[in-house]
PDB file of all heavy atoms in Angstrom:
ATOM      1  N   ILE A 356      -0.076  28.594  17.231  1.00  0.00           N
ATOM      2  CA  ILE A 356       0.035  30.047  17.125  1.00  0.00           C
ATOM      3  C   ILE A 356      -1.302  30.705  17.446  1.00  0.00           C
ATOM      4  O   ILE A 356      -1.371  31.713  18.148  1.00  0.00           O
ATOM      5  CB  ILE A 356       0.520  30.441  15.724  1.00  0.00           C
ATOM      6  CG1 ILE A 356       1.952  29.947  15.499  1.00  0.00           C
ATOM      7  CG2 ILE A 356       0.461  31.960  15.535  1.00  0.00           C
ATOM      8  CD1 ILE A 356       2.473  30.139  14.091  1.00  0.00           C
ATOM      9  N   GLU A 357      -2.392  30.117  16.967  1.00  0.00           N
ATOM     10  CA  GLU A 357      -3.708  30.727  17.124  1.00  0.00           C
ATOM     11  C   GLU A 357      -4.248  30.612  18.550  1.00  0.00           C
ATOM     12  O   GLU A 357      -4.823  31.567  19.087  1.00  0.00           O
ATOM     13  CB  GLU A 357      -4.707  30.076  16.164  1.00  0.00           C
ATOM     14  CG  GLU A 357      -4.399  30.294  14.698  1.00  0.00           C
ATOM     15  CD  GLU A 357      -3.320  29.357  14.164  1.00  0.00           C
ATOM     16  OE1 GLU A 357      -2.886  28.453  14.922  1.00  0.00           O
ATOM     17  OE2 GLU A 357      -2.907  29.527  13.011  1.00  0.00           O
ATOM     18  N   HIS A 358      -4.067  29.455  19.187  1.00  0.00           N
ATOM     19  CA  HIS A 358      -4.676  29.192  20.496  1.00  0.00           C
ATOM     20  C   HIS A 358      -3.663  29.247  21.639  1.00  0.00           C
ATOM     21  O   HIS A 358      -4.037  29.138  22.797  1.00  0.00           O
ATOM     22  CB  HIS A 358      -5.348  27.815  20.453  1.00  0.00           C
ATOM     23  CG  HIS A 358      -6.334  27.550  21.552  1.00  0.00           C
ATOM     24  ND1 HIS A 358      -7.363  28.413  21.871  1.00  0.00           N
ATOM     25  CD2 HIS A 358      -6.449  26.501  22.409  1.00  0.00           C
ATOM     26  CE1 HIS A 358      -8.077  27.911  22.871  1.00  0.00           C
ATOM     27  NE2 HIS A 358      -7.541  26.762  23.225  1.00  0.00           N
ATOM     28  N   GLY A 359      -2.404  29.430  21.317  1.00  0.00           N
ATOM     29  CA  GLY A 359      -1.378  29.522  22.339  1.00  0.00           C
ATOM     30  C   GLY A 359      -1.100  28.192  23.009  1.00  0.00           C
ATOM     31  O   GLY A 359      -1.155  27.129  22.395  1.00  0.00           O
ATOM     32  N   LEU A 360      -0.798  28.253  24.298  1.00  0.00           N
ATOM     33  CA  LEU A 360      -0.585  27.056  25.110  1.00  0.00           C
ATOM     34  C   LEU A 360      -1.911  26.687  25.748  1.00  0.00           C
ATOM     35  O   LEU A 360      -2.619  27.547  26.270  1.00  0.00           O
ATOM     36  CB  LEU A 360       0.464  27.313  26.197  1.00  0.00           C
ATOM     37  CG  LEU A 360       1.794  27.919  25.749  1.00  0.00           C
ATOM     38  CD1 LEU A 360       2.697  28.153  26.944  1.00  0.00           C
ATOM     39  CD2 LEU A 360       2.474  27.036  24.721  1.00  0.00           C
ATOM     40  N   SER A 361      -2.247  25.391  25.729  1.00  0.00           N
ATOM     41  CA  SER A 361      -3.579  25.019  26.206  1.00  0.00           C
ATOM     42  C   SER A 361      -3.583  23.692  26.933  1.00  0.00           C
ATOM     43  O   SER A 361      -2.680  22.866  26.784  1.00  0.00           O
ATOM     44  CB  SER A 361      -4.579  24.975  25.040  1.00  0.00           C
ATOM     45  OG  SER A 361      -4.161  24.054  24.045  1.00  0.00           O
ATOM     46  N   THR A 362      -4.634  23.506  27.735  1.00  0.00           N
ATOM     47  CA  THR A 362      -4.828  22.295  28.523  1.00  0.00           C
ATOM     48  C   THR A 362      -6.333  22.076  28.686  1.00  0.00           C
ATOM     49  O   THR A 362      -7.107  23.040  28.627  1.00  0.00           O
ATOM     50  CB  THR A 362      -4.137  22.426  29.899  1.00  0.00           C
ATOM     51  OG1 THR A 362      -4.138  21.175  30.577  1.00  0.00           O
ATOM     52  CG2 THR A 362      -4.830  23.448  30.783  1.00  0.00           C
ATOM     53  N   PRO A 363      -6.787  20.845  28.856  1.00  0.00           N
ATOM     54  CA  PRO A 363      -8.237  20.625  28.921  1.00  0.00           C
ATOM     55  C   PRO A 363      -8.924  21.130  30.185  1.00  0.00           C
ATOM     56  O   PRO A 363     -10.110  21.427  30.162  1.00  0.00           O
ATOM     57  CB  PRO A 363      -8.364  19.092  28.825  1.00  0.00           C
ATOM     58  CG  PRO A 363      -7.088  18.629  28.216  1.00  0.00           C
ATOM     59  CD  PRO A 363      -6.050  19.574  28.730  1.00  0.00           C
ATOM     60  N   ASP A 364      -8.194  21.213  31.302  1.00  0.00           N
ATOM     61  CA  ASP A 364      -8.831  21.464  32.597  1.00  0.00           C
ATOM     62  C   ASP A 364      -8.693  22.917  33.029  1.00  0.00           C
ATOM     63  O   ASP A 364      -7.600  23.503  32.966  1.00  0.00           O
ATOM     64  CB  ASP A 364      -8.210  20.555  33.663  1.00  0.00           C
ATOM     65  CG  ASP A 364      -8.886  20.705  35.002  1.00  0.00           C
ATOM     66  OD1 ASP A 364      -9.991  20.156  35.172  1.00  0.00           O
ATOM     67  OD2 ASP A 364      -8.313  21.390  35.876  1.00  0.00           O
ATOM     68  N   ALA A 365      -9.787  23.509  33.506  1.00  0.00           N
ATOM     69  CA  ALA A 365      -9.793  24.919  33.897  1.00  0.00           C
ATOM     70  C   ALA A 365      -8.891  25.181  35.103  1.00  0.00           C
ATOM     71  O   ALA A 365      -8.188  26.200  35.158  1.00  0.00           O
ATOM     72  CB  ALA A 365     -11.217  25.368  34.206  1.00  0.00           C
ATOM     73  N   ALA A 366      -8.908  24.278  36.088  1.00  0.00           N
ATOM     74  CA  ALA A 366      -8.081  24.472  37.283  1.00  0.00           C
ATOM     75  C   ALA A 366      -6.599  24.400  36.944  1.00  0.00           C
ATOM     76  O   ALA A 366      -5.790  25.191  37.439  1.00  0.00           O
ATOM     77  CB  ALA A 366      -8.447  23.433  38.337  1.00  0.00           C
ATOM     78  N   GLU A 367      -6.234  23.446  36.087  1.00  0.00           N
ATOM     79  CA  GLU A 367      -4.842  23.342  35.651  1.00  0.00           C
ATOM     80  C   GLU A 367      -4.449  24.577  34.849  1.00  0.00           C
ATOM     81  O   GLU A 367      -3.338  25.096  34.970  1.00  0.00           O
ATOM     82  CB  GLU A 367      -4.640  22.084  34.802  1.00  0.00           C
ATOM     83  CG  GLU A 367      -4.792  20.774  35.553  1.00  0.00           C
ATOM     84  CD  GLU A 367      -3.561  20.407  36.359  1.00  0.00           C
ATOM     85  OE1 GLU A 367      -2.546  21.122  36.259  1.00  0.00           O
ATOM     86  OE2 GLU A 367      -3.621  19.410  37.093  1.00  0.00           O
ATOM     87  N   ALA A 368      -5.355  25.058  34.011  1.00  0.00           N
ATOM     88  CA  ALA A 368      -5.059  26.229  33.194  1.00  0.00           C
ATOM     89  C   ALA A 368      -4.774  27.452  34.063  1.00  0.00           C
ATOM     90  O   ALA A 368      -3.867  28.239  33.756  1.00  0.00           O
ATOM     91  CB  ALA A 368      -6.225  26.509  32.246  1.00  0.00           C
ATOM     92  N   ALA A 369      -5.530  27.625  35.133  1.00  0.00           N
ATOM     93  CA  ALA A 369      -5.326  28.779  36.015  1.00  0.00           C
ATOM     94  C   ALA A 369      -3.949  28.734  36.663  1.00  0.00           C
ATOM     95  O   ALA A 369      -3.271  29.763  36.788  1.00  0.00           O
ATOM     96  CB  ALA A 369      -6.422  28.808  37.079  1.00  0.00           C
ATOM     97  N   VAL A 370      -3.533  27.544  37.095  1.00  0.00           N
ATOM     98  CA  VAL A 370      -2.209  27.398  37.707  1.00  0.00           C
ATOM     99  C   VAL A 370      -1.110  27.649  36.678  1.00  0.00           C
ATOM    100  O   VAL A 370      -0.129  28.357  36.935  1.00  0.00           O
ATOM    101  CB  VAL A 370      -2.058  26.000  38.338  1.00  0.00           C
ATOM    102  CG1 VAL A 370      -0.616  25.746  38.752  1.00  0.00           C
ATOM    103  CG2 VAL A 370      -2.970  25.864  39.549  1.00  0.00           C
ATOM    104  N   LYS A 371      -1.259  27.086  35.502  1.00  0.00           N
ATOM    105  CA  LYS A 371      -0.252  27.271  34.454  1.00  0.00           C
ATOM    106  C   LYS A 371      -0.146  28.743  34.055  1.00  0.00           C
ATOM    107  O   LYS A 371       0.954  29.258  33.809  1.00  0.00           O
ATOM    108  CB  LYS A 371      -0.598  26.403  33.242  1.00  0.00           C
ATOM    109  CG  LYS A 371      -0.395  24.905  33.472  1.00  0.00           C
ATOM    110  CD  LYS A 371      -0.861  24.120  32.248  1.00  0.00           C
ATOM    111  CE  LYS A 371      -0.705  22.620  32.443  1.00  0.00           C
ATOM    112  NZ  LYS A 371       0.707  22.207  32.448  1.00  0.00           N
ATOM    113  N   GLN A 372      -1.273  29.420  33.991  1.00  0.00           N
ATOM    114  CA  GLN A 372      -1.260  30.845  33.667  1.00  0.00           C
ATOM    115  C   GLN A 372      -0.457  31.617  34.716  1.00  0.00           C
ATOM    116  O   GLN A 372       0.346  32.502  34.373  1.00  0.00           O
ATOM    117  CB  GLN A 372      -2.684  31.364  33.594  1.00  0.00           C
ATOM    118  CG  GLN A 372      -2.790  32.830  33.195  1.00  0.00           C
ATOM    119  CD  GLN A 372      -4.231  33.289  33.107  1.00  0.00           C
ATOM    120  OE1 GLN A 372      -4.933  33.382  34.124  1.00  0.00           O
ATOM    121  NE2 GLN A 372      -4.698  33.556  31.903  1.00  0.00           N
ATOM    122  N   ALA A 373      -0.661  31.287  35.976  1.00  0.00           N
ATOM    123  CA  ALA A 373       0.081  31.951  37.048  1.00  0.00           C
ATOM    124  C   ALA A 373       1.578  31.653  36.949  1.00  0.00           C
ATOM    125  O   ALA A 373       2.414  32.536  37.185  1.00  0.00           O
ATOM    126  CB  ALA A 373      -0.462  31.515  38.406  1.00  0.00           C
ATOM    127  N   ILE A 374       1.920  30.428  36.591  1.00  0.00           N
ATOM    128  CA  ILE A 374       3.331  30.053  36.440  1.00  0.00           C
ATOM    129  C   ILE A 374       3.986  30.872  35.333  1.00  0.00           C
ATOM    130  O   ILE A 374       5.096  31.393  35.495  1.00  0.00           O
ATOM    131  CB  ILE A 374       3.459  28.538  36.162  1.00  0.00           C
ATOM    132  CG1 ILE A 374       3.087  27.738  37.406  1.00  0.00           C
ATOM    133  CG2 ILE A 374       4.879  28.179  35.704  1.00  0.00           C
ATOM    134  CD1 ILE A 374       3.018  26.239  37.175  1.00  0.00           C
ATOM    135  N   VAL A 375       3.321  30.978  34.211  1.00  0.00           N
ATOM    136  CA  VAL A 375       3.870  31.755  33.086  1.00  0.00           C
ATOM    137  C   VAL A 375       4.113  33.202  33.498  1.00  0.00           C
ATOM    138  O   VAL A 375       5.159  33.794  33.194  1.00  0.00           O
ATOM    139  CB  VAL A 375       2.918  31.671  31.877  1.00  0.00           C
ATOM    140  CG1 VAL A 375       3.306  32.691  30.806  1.00  0.00           C
ATOM    141  CG2 VAL A 375       2.921  30.266  31.300  1.00  0.00           C
ATOM    142  N   ARG A 376       3.176  33.786  34.210  1.00  0.00           N
ATOM    143  CA  ARG A 376       3.285  35.185  34.596  1.00  0.00           C
ATOM    144  C   ARG A 376       4.310  35.413  35.700  1.00  0.00           C
ATOM    145  O   ARG A 376       4.793  36.543  35.874  1.00  0.00           O
ATOM    146  CB  ARG A 376       1.917  35.704  35.021  1.00  0.00           C
ATOM    147  CG  ARG A 376       0.934  35.758  33.856  1.00  0.00           C
ATOM    148  CD  ARG A 376      -0.449  36.211  34.263  1.00  0.00           C
ATOM    149  NE  ARG A 376      -1.327  36.343  33.097  1.00  0.00           N
ATOM    150  CZ  ARG A 376      -2.616  36.644  33.152  1.00  0.00           C
ATOM    151  NH1 ARG A 376      -3.189  36.857  34.339  1.00  0.00           N
ATOM    152  NH2 ARG A 376      -3.328  36.735  32.044  1.00  0.00           N
ATOM    153  N   ALA A 377       4.655  34.357  36.424  1.00  0.00           N
ATOM    154  CA  ALA A 377       5.605  34.488  37.532  1.00  0.00           C
ATOM    155  C   ALA A 377       7.060  34.390  37.084  1.00  0.00           C
ATOM    156  O   ALA A 377       7.965  34.632  37.884  1.00  0.00           O
ATOM    157  CB  ALA A 377       5.325  33.410  38.582  1.00  0.00           C
ATOM    158  N   ALA A 378       7.290  34.061  35.826  1.00  0.00           N
ATOM    159  CA  ALA A 378       8.658  33.770  35.375  1.00  0.00           C
ATOM    160  C   ALA A 378       9.217  34.859  34.468  1.00  0.00           C
ATOM    161  O   ALA A 378       8.504  35.420  33.628  1.00  0.00           O
ATOM    162  CB  ALA A 378       8.681  32.440  34.639  1.00  0.00           C
ATOM    163  N   LYS A 379      10.506  35.114  34.629  1.00  0.00           N
ATOM    164  CA  LYS A 379      11.196  36.016  33.712  1.00  0.00           C
ATOM    165  C   LYS A 379      11.410  35.335  32.359  1.00  0.00           C
ATOM    166  O   LYS A 379      11.361  35.980  31.323  1.00  0.00           O
ATOM    167  CB  LYS A 379      12.530  36.436  34.302  1.00  0.00           C
ATOM    168  CG  LYS A 379      12.418  37.217  35.607  1.00  0.00           C
ATOM    169  CD  LYS A 379      13.786  37.494  36.201  1.00  0.00           C
ATOM    170  CE  LYS A 379      13.685  38.195  37.544  1.00  0.00           C
ATOM    171  NZ  LYS A 379      15.015  38.374  38.183  1.00  0.00           N
ATOM    172  N   THR A 380      11.680  34.040  32.392  1.00  0.00           N
ATOM    173  CA  THR A 380      11.871  33.250  31.170  1.00  0.00           C
ATOM    174  C   THR A 380      10.978  32.026  31.246  1.00  0.00           C
ATOM    175  O   THR A 380      11.000  31.302  32.244  1.00  0.00           O
ATOM    176  CB  THR A 380      13.330  32.805  31.008  1.00  0.00           C
ATOM    177  OG1 THR A 380      14.168  33.970  30.934  1.00  0.00           O
ATOM    178  CG2 THR A 380      13.516  31.972  29.743  1.00  0.00           C
ATOM    179  N   VAL A 381      10.200  31.785  30.203  1.00  0.00           N
ATOM    180  CA  VAL A 381       9.284  30.643  30.153  1.00  0.00           C
ATOM    181  C   VAL A 381       9.808  29.637  29.128  1.00  0.00           C
ATOM    182  O   VAL A 381       9.913  29.945  27.937  1.00  0.00           O
ATOM    183  CB  VAL A 381       7.860  31.080  29.775  1.00  0.00           C
ATOM    184  CG1 VAL A 381       6.946  29.867  29.627  1.00  0.00           C
ATOM    185  CG2 VAL A 381       7.309  32.048  30.816  1.00  0.00           C
TER     186      VAL A 381
END
Side-chain angles (χ1 to χ4, degrees):
I356 294 173
E357 296 80 6
H358 196 51
L360 309 178
S361 58
T362 190
D364 184 77
E367 293 281 355
V370 170
K371 289 176 181 290
Q372 183 179 68
I374 290 173
V375 168
R376 293 177 176 176
K379 298 175 184 175
T380 300
V381 176

